Amino acid sequence: MATTTLHDAHHDAHPTGVMRWLTSTNHKDIGTLYLWFSFIMFLFAGGLAMLIRAELFQPGLQFFQPNLFNQFTTMHGLIMIFGAIMPAFVGFANWQIPMMIGAPDMAFPRLNNWSFWLLPAAASLLLMSFLMPGGAAAGGWTMYPPLFIQGGMSYDMTIFAIHIMGLSSIIGSINIITTILNMRTPGMTMMKMPIFVWTWLITAFLLLSAMPVLASAVTMLLTDRHFGTYFFNAAGGGDPVMFQHIFWFFGHPEVYIMILPAFGILSSIIPTFSRKPLFGYDSMVYATAAIALLSFLVWAHHMFTVGMPAASQLFFMYATMLIAIPTGVKVFNWTATMWRGSITFETPMLFAIAVVCLFTIGGFSGLVLAIVPVDIQLQDTYYVVAHFHYVLFSGAAMSIMAGVYYWLPKWTGHMYDERLGKIHFWLTTIAFNVTFFPMHFIGLAGMPRRIPDYALQFAEFNMLQSIGSFVLGASQLLFLYTVIKCIRGGATAGDRPWEGADSLEWTLTSPPPYHSFQTAPAFK
Amino acid sequence: MPCNIRSALPTITISLSATSAYADFRFNLQPAVTPIATEIYDLHNLILLVCLAIFIVVFGVMFYALYKHRKSVGHSPAQFSHNTKLEVVWTIIPFFILVGMAYPTTQTILRMKTVENTDMSIKVTGRQWYWEYEYMDAGVNYVSNLATPRDQIDNKAAKTPHYLLEVDQPMVVPTGKKVRLLLTASDVIHSWWIPAFGVKQDAIPGFINEAWFQVDKPGIYRGQCAELCGVGHGFMPIVVEAKPQEEYDAWLKNQKAQLAATAEAATKDYTLDELKTRGETIFNSRCAACHQANGQGIPGVFPPLVGGAAFANQDTLKRLAERGFAKDGKIVLGPKDKHLDIVMHGIPGTAMQGLGAQMTDLEVAAVITYERNSWGNKTGDMLQPKEVAAVRKSKG
Ligand SMILES: [Cu+2]
Ligand SMILES: [Cu+2]
């Protein structure tokens, strides 16, 4: 490719304009692409959430018929997970891992380019599926058969989109694993890597093991739909519950794929603003590994109502409860890191503190849901919706925001507007809780999820939730504005804008040079 | 021990929501009426309180640090990063807390899963989008549809208190008896759920699941389908009426008499108008979720029943054309015998399922007559229950 020869000859001559982005093999450019792609998807899927909340503002069908409503919930889930959260973390991995381990770039730059450019292809399949006869897939992001077998062409497009996104994730994780294992600067042993790098290493292994499982599950759906197989059709000797087992065998590790890198970001931010080393580095690493291993043993806790024997229920309940231990260790470590520090409250730290609190609430509701008899009451209610939004919005998405504020000065060379950052923080945190906290109550009181209309006793809370969600949605436009403002200009950040920051990326200029570390940096 | 927790929480609940008519279950699980649901209620409160206590301790410490160890008050940072004793302690303590939670939970699970010595069995079949109940010991079966009028859903009429939680014919059970449910589904997965009973069990096509409950307090208990099952998922409530044994027996007797009357009614001849009137009710409760009350369907998803309208789903069009219901990409009103065939046996490969097994001869006749004489369809065709019975006999 032309770009490569250019690189070899002149380090500073790269294509400009569109070609720069299309052909880039540079880890920072690709990281930027991932992050913008993810933000666009975040706004789109968030827009779908606004439509959902508009319909649920009051009982009765106001704006959308159930068929369209179900498309919104399905696509909101799929796009948020595969389009917004996962690519955002890969964006962080691209930007940060080479800089944190003292490498010039990722191990496979061209593969890196490809793994990104697969994503827009997959996303357009998903978005175009709205235009197909009958609209987009409406069977829920979990795609349970036989319901998912009933749909039209958009369901096939969804399956192919998942294939492509899975391929992208697998390529990306191979790249990340190779980079981390082979390109660390001399002296950086495994147990000296920044925790963010550790969490991504473990996440990449989770991706490698989980994505092929999802691919096989959706492939079986495809052949059931079109090629006369009966994997999931009881009439032909198949088993619809088998799909759920396969899906959640992917699905639970997937949860940790979306949260472990967030833990990594928190473990970078909290020591910086506490001006104190991370407490319990070793136990952080072991806890991350323990969570990852356990995540393969708990999948059926999503399926306690399918009618499994008591022995299985007990096994999956005990295994799930065990995850509380390493997760608890992490929260205790963060608390101990802050203890007797010298704490300041810049926007990244505010987000990080909020994430620790709110994620813990999500962790507790997860523990409540692990208790089989209680789960029987709460399965498929709004309690579950509250639970996974505490984990995925205030856990994953708000960590992403924290990370963006934290590293934006490094990436752009400018400080972001602290005042706007703080306004964004408070709006997001308050609106998030107004939206999602009452969902615990309506879930307990018996409101099922995925319904376009509901009984009257849930009306007040739903209205409150809708109002909260509109504020939450609008606040993210402020985030967009703050980020653009920072890219355009602002106070000079300097190499190390945060007093307490000490990983390798802060030894580089802001913004960093095109090839992060031309020579391996010294590392003690 | 759980009893104390139980009495504490509802007090908070009620005081927080005094304005609501549903004060007693706005913030917590609905009041339990079965032993299992009571155990679940206590378990949840117990675990909630333990979590709350841990939360307060951990974040108490964190917020103390955030307040006292600020840079702005001149706190200079310590540099410790390990404390093995502490780390071992906070790994082990949670383990014992978890064991404490697991112990009572395990006992409840084992009780839930013991479906023994039941007094009666009801087979529950989930269908898109209503429930069918079959009293296995009494030979009674019927379907249970959403009773909320369409106008309330479309905001054209004021909503009544049990909006979306009311059915035409509830499941009726005797109080004080252990009822076994055998759950299955005919199309996609549904989930039968009554919060007050602590019963939620998926109904899965091709499989039979078991559940049980025993209600001691007479009353009407409401729930909803809890597994996404398509466009009607929000509109297939579950209502159970628990009656004392004598009233239950009377109900059962009446139910049997009705079945006999239905059989008798099927032998009569009806006029076009009689059939249309009956057909309209049946259509609105059974067919309108997909084909819509105006017969227009949903373009590309559910075909219209009115001749002439265009419809985009090629697969479905092909199948309709094979049966004489589509020509040149347009829907036409096909022959009467094929119409009957579709209603009775469905169209394999589409969401249209055979309704023959769940509808009486009179109902099938009425709904077909209604469809062929409404929304601009003016065939004047009539179908008598006898004709349906004849077809049933010859084809099964
Ligand atoms: Cu899980
Ligand atoms: Cu349903």
Side-chain angles (χ1 to χ4, degrees), chain A residues 61-62 134 150 275-277 280 283 305-306 308 318 321 340-343 376-377 379-380 445 448 453 499, chain B residues 25 30 69 71 75 77-79 81 87 98 106 113 128 153 155 163 193 195 200-202 209 224 226-227:
Chain A
L61 293 180
Q62 275 74 233
Q150 285 182 349
R275 290 166 183 77
K276 221 178 125 239
S283 64
T305 61
V306 298
M308 60 178 81
Y318 297 150
M321 292 172 83
R340 292 179 52 210
S342 174
I343 305 170
I376 298 290
Q377 286 286 34
Q379 163 86 357
D380 268 308
D453 194 3
E499 191 186 0
Chain B
F25 57 83
Q30 296 184 18
H69 306 155
K71 193 186 179 199
H75 195 271
Q79 287 304 316
S81 67
E87 288 177 64
L98 291 173
T106 303
K113 281 287 179 183
Q128 284 174 316
I153 296 169
N155 304 310
Y163 178 69
W193 178 34
K200 182 186 285 148
Q201 185 62 61
D202 289 0
N209 274 329
Q224 283 177 271
E227 179 64 54

Side-chain angles (χ1 to χ4, degrees), chain A residues 114-115 118 162-172 211:
Chain A
W114 194 39
S115 76
L118 283 172
I162 287 173
H163 277 139
I164 298 173
M165 290 185 291
L167 188 60
S168 159
S169 292
I170 290 171
I171 297 171
M211 295 312 288

Side-chain angles (χ1 to χ4, degrees), chain B residues 119-196:
Chain B
D119 298 305
M120 58 181 285
S121 300
I122 304 175
K123 184 179 167 209
V124 176
T125 309
R127 301 183 190 274
Q128 284 174 316
W129 290 276
Y130 54 89
W131 297 94
E132 183 180 351
Y133 301 126
E134 184 183 340
Y135 289 69
M136 319 260 306
D137 327 272
V140 162
N141 77 316
Y142 57 91
V143 299
S144 178
N145 288 293
L146 175 74
T148 303
R150 188 73 213 181
D151 278 355
Q152 292 192 17
I153 296 169
D154 289 335
N155 304 310
K156 288 176 194 145
K159 296 180 174 49
T160 41
H162 297 297
Y163 178 69
L164 294 187
L165 295 178
E166 51 201 347
V167 296
D168 52 0
Q169 292 199 84
M171 173 189 280
V172 178
V173 296
T175 50
K177 288 282 157 69
K178 198 168 174 184
V179 180
R180 177 173 72 148
L181 299 181
L182 296 167
L183 302 109
T184 187
S186 67
D187 33 49
V188 301
I189 303 175
H190 304 267
S191 192
W192 195 91
W193 178 34
I194 294 283

Side-chain angles (χ1 to χ4, degrees), chain A residues 248 252 255 298 301-302:
Chain A
W248 288 113
H252 198 85
V255 174
V298 298
H301 66 201
H302 298 264

Side-chain angles (χ1 to χ4, degrees), chain B residues 196-258:
Chain B
F197 295 177
V199 173
K200 182 186 285 148
Q201 185 62 61
D202 289 0
I204 300 170
F207 290 79
I208 291 183
N209 274 329
E210 263 186 335
W212 70 274
F213 61 84
Q214 177 180 332
V215 203
D216 294 327
K217 206 173 113 200
I220 297 176
Y221 306 102
R222 296 168 199 276
Q224 283 177 271
C225 175
E227 179 64 54
L228 178 63
C229 54
V231 299
H233 169 53
F235 308 95
M236 50 183 294
I238 299 146
V239 179
V240 178
E241 205 177 332
K243 295 180 176 191
Q245 186 71 42
E246 315 81 68
E247 285 178 43
Y248 170 76
D249 290 339
W251 171 84
L252 203 59
K253 209 172 133 208
N254 182 28
Q255 210 61 24
K256 283 182 184 159
Q258 268 185 28

